[in-house]
Amino acid sequence: MAITELSELTPGYLAFWREHQLCTLTTLRRDGSPHVVPVGVTFDPGAGIARIITNKGSRKVANVLAAAGTEPGARVSVCQFDRGRWATLEGRARVRTEPEVVADAVARYAERYGRTPKPNPDRVVIEIAVERALGRA
């Protein structure tokens, strides 16, 4: 099912994004081929933002930065599934490095996944402005 308005997301769909689920992030390499990696994702439906904390030297960050010239950011998707339930968020990503943005993303991660990551001076946030939500949850 495709959902074009975030205001149309069902309570079940939103609850699925709060469960402890491993996700995948798909970014595009310079040659256009997909790069898919496991990640932890938090979703703020009110703001329409999904967040991933990661190391600034990662391939996923490099892929997002390589598309930085595209407005309003790199096309990406995040997906999670559990048996017959699945949910995908698609949108435009950018890399955020501001300490307060990173701290907020770490706190959101800790809330969803039940653990606070070790301090990492190279941590950044891939912030996705969600444009479309799909799934069956």
Side-chain angles (χ1 to χ4, degrees), residues 94-102 123-127:
R94 63 186 179 140
V95 176
R96 303 286 303 268
T97 59
E98 304 92 329
E100 65 278 5
V101 172
V102 174
R123 182 171 289 130
V124 298
V125 178
I126 296 176
E127 186 178 87

Side-chain angles (χ1 to χ4, degrees), residues 13-95:
Y13 189 91
L14 296 174
F16 189 39
W17 278 105
R18 290 188 299 274
E19 292 178 15
H20 188 288
Q21 300 289 342
L22 191 59
C23 305
T24 60
L25 167 69
T26 302
T27 60
L28 298 177
R29 297 180 182 100
R30 287 185 186 267
D31 68 2
S33 63
H35 177 256
V36 183
V37 293
V39 293
V41 177
T42 62
F43 178 41
D44 178 351
I49 301 290
R51 294 173 180 88
I52 298 157
I53 56 174
T54 189
N55 194 297
K56 70 181 179 183
S58 68
R59 168 53 46 201
K60 55 190 162 288
V61 167
N63 290 344
V64 170
L65 292 174
T70 62
E71 285 300 323
R75 288 195 175 277
V76 301
S77 67
V78 289
C79 181
Q80 64 182 22
F81 69 93
D82 179 41
R83 298 181 181 154
R85 299 181 306 156
W86 63 276
T88 298
L89 302 172
E90 299 176 352
R92 299 287 188 145
R94 63 186 179 140
V95 176

